[in-house]
Amino acid sequence: MFPTEKTQKIEPRNGKDTMKTLHAVIVPFPAQGHVTPALQLAKKLVGLGFRITFVNTIHIHERMMKSRSKAAVQDDKDIEFVAVPDGLPDDHPRLNDLCAFCKTTTELGPVFKEVLADLLRKSSITCVIRDAVLTAVHGSAKKLGIPIVVLATPSAIAMQCIYHLQTFVANEVLPLPAPPLGQAPSLDPVKLTIGLPRSEPEIKARQAPLTCLPGGSPTMRVDDIPTFLVSHDLDAFFPRFFRELQNPFLPDSECILYNTYSALEGDILNAMAGDMNSHTYAIGPLVFDTPPTSSDGVGKELSLLGAGSASSLWEEDPISLAWLDHQAPKSVLFVSFGSITTVSMQQIQEFATGLELSKHAFLWVIRPDLIESICADNGHQGMFSDFMGRTRDRGLLVPWAPQTAVLSHPSVAAFLTHCGWNSTIESISCGIPMLGWPRFADQNTNCHYIVHVWKTGLALQGHLDPNGATVVSKEEIANKVKKIMACDKTDLEVDEIRNNTRNFQIEARKAVERGGSSQTALMKFVELIKGITKCPTFTPSSNSMHI
């Protein structure tokens, strides 16, 4: 028997003693950026009459349960949390050794088959909703005859790139030219961060227009393909991993759900419809909750789901919001590089000095594991002590923060971000312009769209230092922070960015409201699954979302 934690059973909101007949098993990839949207989706499906079994690895489950507040546990009714082993020893670095970690997840088929079979002995399963990159769940569910739904946690444009890896190869876009003899490749083989090109052939190859991607922006270059795919060697682990992900797993699923909306990524969604899968549903932004309609038929204002704190793997610092309450409106830069990104000591010093030179207020998330080689070099402690002393009147450093609450705070004006998809869609949903510093995966793809397609932000530009590392200078950081934080009507480019961001925020809210594109897509997904499993018709109460 697997270890579980069940939330307290609560009577249905309508007071009727009815049993929910729709049962979805949700299996996210074991990382913060994947668990958060999966839990947000779980909360929405609970409001639509589902009960949820949420399957995490033991490592993620224990971290999440440790950081969850009592309010979060009480709020997650009709969600049962189940933990399964990931096959790794307790001291394994996991995401810090990403290749080995991802390889291990591909070998978890027997584990998922066992937990699904155990659940089936207790009750029927309407569908399994599995993360797009967690392919081990697919075969296990298929053998048990359970309908499979894919939840794509990256952006639609990133998923389109992944699906068309073979298209890039056929068009000789990939692989990149080999690095000069004796020189390291520009893609770090461990961190998978991509640096600046180190040879003329690579410069030319990476700057070439990306014209072979269906639905892609004409502004895209080869350099904007997710770093997992941009390789000098197509036999490396990740190109092989994503080739296997494309077929047959995505077309073989009942449907694919995207945490995006048509006004943001409509061209891509239209291009992939009928190609990747005949049923493609954009149901985001998942960060929004659709509130109940009152008895008089009047809809209440949209709110942000509390799944950010409920799914956090770090304990959120309670000081952040209280500190923001004492800052002037639209005066603070929020700085956070997500849950996985690591930063060299050299780059951290450039960021600290750049923020200090900018003279603007900032709230900076410094995860305990953010700085590389932190155990070997304790010099950061003195540096941060001096830095905090010099900026104590306008800066705050915290180990983790409630991101959606921070981004929606009236004191926050802009977001310095790694451009992970959760951070990107949350920033857009809150109407906050971005200053992008992408590191790996789909982050450079998202950053390109932020800067050149949606025009909702700026990007930091790096340079090669004498050691061959790509570094963003303190001067670049200070200048771009000053620009993105400029007062209204003092910088025409930033004024346009703010206007675009507000417009996309409005469209995001429209998408998830009753009759909006994403809310309609969510209901189509529910009807599709009910039709496949021949479930009894679910009629939402006045306290649920509506068809």
Side-chain angles (χ1 to χ4, degrees), residues 59-116:
H59 178 76
I60 294 293
H61 174 88
E62 291 179 347
R63 289 184 61 187
M64 192 170 85
M65 293 304 157
K66 183 179 179 180
S67 66
R68 283 162 64 86
S69 65
K70 291 181 180 179
V73 173
Q74 177 71 11
D75 186 52
D76 288 341
K77 69 175 189 174
D78 294 311
I79 300 179
E80 179 183 18
F81 293 92
V82 175
V84 300
D86 63 8
L88 295 169
D90 291 342
D91 60 352
H92 190 277
R94 289 176 170 80
L95 291 171
N96 289 329
D97 187 356
L98 198 54
C99 288
F101 184 65
C102 288
K103 183 178 185 298
T104 299
T105 66
T106 66
E107 300 167 352
L108 293 178
V111 173
F112 291 126
K113 185 177 180 181
E114 184 177 347
V115 74
L116 290 173

Side-chain angles (χ1 to χ4, degrees), residues 181-203:
L181 189 64
Q183 192 174 84
S186 55
L187 181 71
D188 187 300
V190 177
K191 304 184 191 72
L192 298 172
T193 55
I194 192 165
L196 293 172
R198 302 180 183 186
S199 69
E200 288 300 322
E202 186 178 337
I203 291 172

Side-chain angles (χ1 to χ4, degrees), residues 290 511-523 545-547:
T290 300
V512 297
E513 287 175 341
R514 183 178 181 180
S517 62
S518 294
Q519 195 265 349
T520 300
L522 182 61
M523 296 313 303
M545 293 174 63
H546 296 257
I547 298 177

Side-chain angles (χ1 to χ4, degrees), residues 156-453:
I157 178 60
M159 283 297 293
Q160 183 75 332
C161 287
I162 290 169
Y163 189 74
H164 283 277
L165 174 55
Q166 288 303 114
T167 302
F168 299 149
V169 175
N171 284 269
E172 300 182 342
V173 167
L174 295 176
L176 292 179
L181 189 64
Q183 192 174 84
S186 55
L187 181 71
D188 187 300
V190 177
K191 304 184 191 72
L192 298 172
T193 55
I194 192 165
L196 293 172
R198 302 180 183 186
S199 69
E200 288 300 322
E202 186 178 337
I203 291 172
K204 183 178 178 180
R206 285 171 58 174
Q207 291 301 318
L210 189 67
T211 59
C212 59
L213 181 66
S217 168
T219 60
M220 288 187 75
R221 304 157 301 159
V222 174
D223 218 18
D224 301 313
I225 297 173
T227 64
F228 287 154
L229 310 180
V230 181
S231 176
H232 304 279
D233 179 12
L234 293 179
D235 288 326
F237 173 76
F238 276 105
R240 288 187 289 107
F241 178 78
F242 284 110
R243 277 201 300 270
E244 293 167 2
L245 165 68
Q246 300 167 33
N247 288 302
F249 296 116
L250 295 180
D252 189 46
S253 305
E254 303 296 344
C255 62
I256 306 177
L257 307 178
Y258 285 92
N259 183 19
T260 189
Y261 58 105
S262 59
L264 190 68
E265 294 194 275
D267 290 344
I268 291 295
L269 293 165
N270 291 336
M272 63 174 51
D275 182 10
M276 189 181 300
N277 189 287
S278 58
H279 296 109
T280 298
Y281 300 118
I283 60 170
L286 289 172
V287 70
F288 280 124
D289 185 17
T290 300
T293 300
S294 60
S295 57
D296 60 4
V298 178
K300 299 178 182 178
E301 186 178 353
L302 283 170
S303 60
L304 294 170
L305 278 168
S309 58
S311 65
S312 178
L313 305 184
W314 287 270
E315 186 174 350
E316 294 170 345
D317 196 307
I319 298 174
S320 303
L321 298 178
W323 182 83
L324 286 172
D325 288 341
H326 292 87
Q327 308 307 310
K330 297 296 180 184
S331 66
V332 176
L333 175 74
F334 179 48
V335 185
S336 178
F337 302 131
S339 59
I340 299 177
T341 295
T342 58
V343 187
S344 68
M345 189 63 192
Q346 176 189 5
Q347 187 62 76
I348 280 287
Q349 290 174 323
E350 295 293 327
F351 271 115
T353 307
L355 290 173
E356 185 176 353
L357 291 172
S358 77
K359 304 297 183 183
H360 283 283
F362 59 88
L363 169 61
W364 189 3
V365 174
I366 303 286
R367 289 191 337 265
D369 59 348
L370 177 68
I371 305 174
E372 297 166 6
S373 305
I374 195 168
C375 295
D377 181 2
N378 293 321
H380 71 283
Q381 296 177 350
M383 185 273 287
F384 275 125
S385 177
D386 293 342
F387 169 69
M388 292 170 67
R390 295 192 301 270
T391 60
R392 62 178 177 270
D393 60 330
R394 57 185 174 86
L396 178 67
L397 274 60
V398 295
W400 197 245
Q403 183 160 290
T404 54
V406 168
L407 289 171
S408 60
H409 196 283
S411 293
V412 173
F415 184 17
L416 172 48
T417 172
H418 65 309
C419 302
W421 185 239
N422 287 332
S423 293
T424 298
I425 196 78
E426 288 168 9
S427 195
I428 290 172
S429 299
C430 294
I432 299 297
M434 286 167 274
L435 180 53
W437 185 58
R439 308 305 300 131
F440 73 107
D442 64 335
Q443 296 164 15
N444 59 319
T445 313
N446 300 336
C447 189
H448 177 84
Y449 267 68
I450 288 167
V451 176
H452 299 286
V453 181

